[in-house]
Amino acid sequence: MALTKLTSVGKSVAQKLLIRSLAISYGFSTIALMKASTNSFPDGKKVTWGGYYDESDGGDNWGIVKTGAHTEDGFTVFTLADGKYIQANISKSSLNVKKAGAKGDGTFVNDTVFATVLAYANANKIPQVLIPSGIFRTDTPTLITSGVTLKGYNQSGVKILTTSGVYFSQIAYYGTGACIHIQSNSGPNSVADYSASTVDGLQIRYFGASQATSYGVQIGTVAKEALQVVVKNCLIQNFGRGIYSIGSWNVQATDVYIVSTRNATANASPLTFGVYIDCETRAITSNYLTRVFVQACDVGFYIQGVAAYSGMTDVYTDACNTGYYFNGANLSPARGWSIKGMGLEAPKYKGLIVNSTTVHITQFDFVEGIAPSYDRIVQVENSGSLSITGGHDITTGSYGAVDAMNVDATSDLLIIALEISRTLGIKGDGAVKTLTSTSENRGSLERYPSSVDVSIANRDNQFSGFSQYNFTPIGSTQAMPQTTTLNRVTFITTDVDVGDTIDVVNPSSGAFDIVLRCEGAAAGCGIVHPSLTQVSIKAGTKVSLLKRADGKLQLQD
């Protein structure tokens, strides 16, 4: 059909024919001009518009003139000046938010537009809602309750591990709670109206003032879970929780990059989480994370509750305070997760925590990078069970040999064929088994039990000044107290004499280290080592103090 655009209608026969003929469409540049027109179109007349606010702004569409009761929504129905209305043409396969008046200028608030489009999609089972290129601001959660894919513009050649020049469809969120919230209409545990929804190809970024209570994509609630949800090809930035799943089944995240901010002090509150999955007590099954990368959060992956038949593949954390935290506490029975390919780089607090649950890892690779001096690579506690098969470290960091791994008395650890570059200690009373562990001739795994009877005797009755532990009387054999954070005993002294011999006694284990350290050696403490200011002394060995030419005392080992 021919398309003719007019801003006014003359009195000529041709113009009247153009208005009245059903065989010829009538066109406007914008919706505002269409609604303001004084033309009275007959029912069944096709009317077109070239843009929503401006011509060629992406809001173009067409519709049919009708008479009768109606409700204008700015998307499917538009009221004309003569009281008639236009029923817009709406695709049954895909909806574009710009057709409903969305603006991607970073300023216009799109809450009403998004709600209108998604409500229509949910009610009419439209499978896809398109977010075109641009920055679309929202201030309240975008709710998806049925099988809808919220799809970004850029689906070709996505490069997931970069933050610039890749994502063309951005939702800029300024509110609280979830930016995108997926849940069922019924619940809990209802399969009659499940979600089956997808978020694909979006950059989702938080700009508000309530980061701790903001969520990039929330899946389910305590009362209304979600089922069969996919988040893929997304960049999620600066939220308190990047992906937050509550009691939901068959949740999958693939090719997702999450970056936020962490507390300067390890484990401080409030925390930010990359992925937070709360399985609750419903024996949630079939949650899978594949190629998910989390950077600079307080906790990269936090998994809580009863999980079964769930897993991760090729997941990675970088510069998080805690890399991975699996927590089944008080939610027995905790069935566990299987992981194939876990990467860990530069944690500032703990690398991996397994608490009251079971985790199986195949290929665990950890890179220290910056010195993670706060705590451990691995901690297994409260009836936790961890198995590691394969993997290696690439490290220049400073994890202590004793403090690298901790397994409490109720837990167990199995390590098979883990290649490491230097000695890593395993502390604690839990069951530990290592099989075919290799070290590339550079490192080893050593067990350091925490409940050992360690004592020190000074033969020459000259060693004094145990300021850290306040040992008295001088010269007697004293039991060394243990601490919860260190699995080596440290002595600090400023008063020694030539010829003193330190005799380390450890009846329980021959592998326990005693550390003799002189504080302030540069200020004339008086005790030095040829190359170190701190030295570890194996149990069952002796060291002597020799006088140097400068008058200071030197440890001779």
Side-chain angles (χ1 to χ4, degrees):
M1 292 184 180
L3 173 63
T4 305
K5 296 182 180 179
L6 300 174
T7 58
S8 63
V9 179
K11 302 298 183 180
S12 67
V13 175
Q15 288 173 323
K16 290 181 180 180
L17 178 62
L18 179 61
I19 294 171
R20 303 300 301 175
S21 174
L22 298 182
I24 305 173
S25 63
Y26 195 95
F28 293 91
S29 297
T30 66
I31 287 176
L33 290 175
M34 178 183 71
K35 291 174 54 105
S37 173
T38 58
N39 296 327
S40 182
F41 298 106
D43 287 3
K45 178 73 174 181
K46 181 178 180 180
V47 177
T48 67
W49 51 97
Y52 202 97
Y53 303 102
D54 300 294
E55 194 167 9
S56 302
D57 64 1
D60 57 298
N61 204 353
W62 62 270
I64 301 298
V65 176
K66 294 185 177 183
T67 299
H70 64 277
T71 301
E72 180 172 0
D73 61 7
F75 175 42
T76 65
V77 175
F78 298 92
T79 302
L80 298 175
D82 63 356
K84 293 185 178 183
Y85 69 96
I86 291 180
Q87 183 72 55
N89 172 61
I90 302 297
S91 169
K92 296 186 181 299
S93 60
S94 181
L95 306 177
N96 188 324
V97 294
K98 280 197 171 183
K99 307 294 186 185
K103 288 185 179 181
D105 59 4
T107 302
F108 180 83
V109 179
N110 292 280
D111 295 345
T112 300
V113 176
F114 280 23
T116 298
V117 176
L118 283 165
Y120 186 89
N122 288 332
N124 294 277
K125 308 302 180 184
I126 308 296
Q128 181 173 272
V129 172
L130 290 174
I131 308 292
S133 61
I135 301 174
F136 295 82
R137 173 175 174 168
T138 61
D139 289 357
T140 58
T142 297
L143 180 63
I144 304 174
T145 57
S146 66
V148 174
T149 294
L150 193 63
K151 190 171 185 180
Y153 177 78
N154 52 310
Q155 295 305 301
S156 177
V158 171
K159 298 178 181 178
I160 195 65
L161 300 182
T162 183
T163 59
S164 62
V166 174
Y167 292 87
F168 304 108
S169 302
Q170 180 185 129
I171 298 179
Y173 189 56
Y174 286 79
T176 59
C179 175
I180 299 172
H181 191 179
I182 302 171
Q183 68 177 48
S184 66
N185 284 324
S186 304
N189 296 320
S190 171
V191 296
D193 190 2
Y194 68 101
S195 300
S197 299
T198 299
V199 178
D200 183 5
L202 287 172
Q203 180 181 6
I204 307 166
R205 187 169 183 177
Y206 186 66
F207 290 91
S210 304
Q211 184 190 43
T213 55
S214 67
Y215 318 126
V217 179
Q218 179 176 335
I219 304 167
T221 65
V222 173
K224 295 181 178 182
E225 79 287 351
L227 295 92
Q228 196 174 337
V229 174
V230 177
V231 181
K232 63 181 181 178
N233 302 321
C234 288
L235 169 63
I236 303 175
Q237 295 174 280
N238 300 334
F239 287 87
R241 298 178 184 181
I243 296 176
Y244 179 30
S245 176
I246 308 172
S248 296
W249 301 46
N250 196 12
V251 173
Q252 299 181 44
T254 304
D255 293 321
V256 178
Y257 177 31
I258 302 171
V259 59
S260 189
T261 55
R262 67 183 182 200
N263 288 296
T265 302
N267 210 32
S269 182
L271 300 178
T272 59
F273 300 84
V275 175
Y276 189 113
I277 297 180
D278 187 351
C279 301
E280 299 183 306
T281 57
R282 302 179 191 173
I284 299 306
T285 65
S286 303
N287 286 313
Y288 292 98
L289 308 176
T290 303
R291 295 186 302 278
V292 178
F293 178 46
V294 179
Q295 187 175 41
C297 294
D298 286 304
V299 181
F301 295 80
Y302 182 84
I303 313 296
Q304 173 174 287
V306 181
Y309 311 112
S310 296
M312 302 181 186
T313 302
D314 297 334
V315 292
Y316 198 85
T317 68
D318 178 30
C320 296
N321 281 338
T322 297
Y324 304 83
Y325 194 150
F326 295 88
N327 181 22
N330 303 317
L331 292 167
S332 180
R335 292 173 172 84
W337 282 65
S338 295
I339 304 166
K340 184 177 181 180
M342 172 188 280
L344 172 68
E345 183 169 357
K348 302 293 284 185
Y349 181 58
K350 287 183 175 69
L352 166 64
I353 301 174
V354 178
N355 179 41
S356 304
T357 189
T358 300
V359 175
H360 306 282
I361 303 173
T362 302
Q363 194 65 28
F364 178 40
D365 298 330
F366 49 97
V367 183
E368 291 181 17
I370 55 178
S373 57
Y374 286 103
D375 221 296
R376 302 177 180 92
I377 299 172
V378 170
Q379 180 166 315
V380 190
E381 59 191 17
N382 299 320
S383 299
S385 179
L386 171 64
S387 66
I388 301 172
T389 303
H392 63 283
D393 69 333
I394 306 171
T395 178
T396 58
S398 61
Y399 273 119
V402 177
D403 301 322
M405 300 183 181
N406 181 277
V407 187
D408 75 9
T410 66
S411 303
D412 61 84
L413 171 65
L414 170 64
I415 298 176
I416 302 174
L418 178 65
E419 295 183 354
I420 54 177
S421 61
R422 40 100 176 100
T423 301
L424 295 181
I426 305 174
K427 172 189 173 184
D429 299 325
V432 176
K433 187 174 184 180
T434 61
L435 299 174
T436 62
S437 296
T438 61
S439 61
E440 299 174 329
N441 297 319
R442 294 186 294 149
S444 63
L445 291 168
E446 293 189 9
R447 186 68 192 275
Y448 293 81
S450 61
S451 56
V452 295
D453 181 13
V454 181
S455 62
I456 184 170
N458 181 354
R459 288 182 174 182
D460 300 325
N461 201 23
Q462 297 289 327
F463 214 120
S464 62
F466 292 102
S467 59
Q468 184 170 356
Y469 297 119
N470 193 26
F471 290 103
T472 56
I474 297 174
S476 64
T477 298
Q478 300 290 331
M480 299 294 102
Q482 298 296 302
T483 70
T484 58
T485 58
L486 293 176
N487 198 35
R488 54 173 66 188
V489 179
T490 301
F491 306 98
I492 301 174
T493 182
T494 57
D495 186 5
V496 291
D497 203 354
V498 177
D500 280 350
T501 300
I502 301 171
D503 187 1
V504 181
V505 180
N506 182 353
S508 299
S509 172
F512 198 90
D513 280 354
I514 302 296
V515 177
L516 181 64
R517 179 162 58 91
C518 179
E519 288 195 332
C525 175
I527 181 171
V528 297
H529 186 271
S531 59
L532 304 172
T533 59
Q534 175 174 302
V535 63
S536 296
I537 308 168
K538 285 292 184 184
T541 63
K542 300 179 178 63
V543 295
S544 298
L545 298 173
L546 304 178
K547 190 172 183 178
R548 298 184 353 155
D550 60 5
K552 292 185 178 181
L553 299 176
Q554 175 177 303
L555 287 172
Q556 180 68 40
D557 52 21

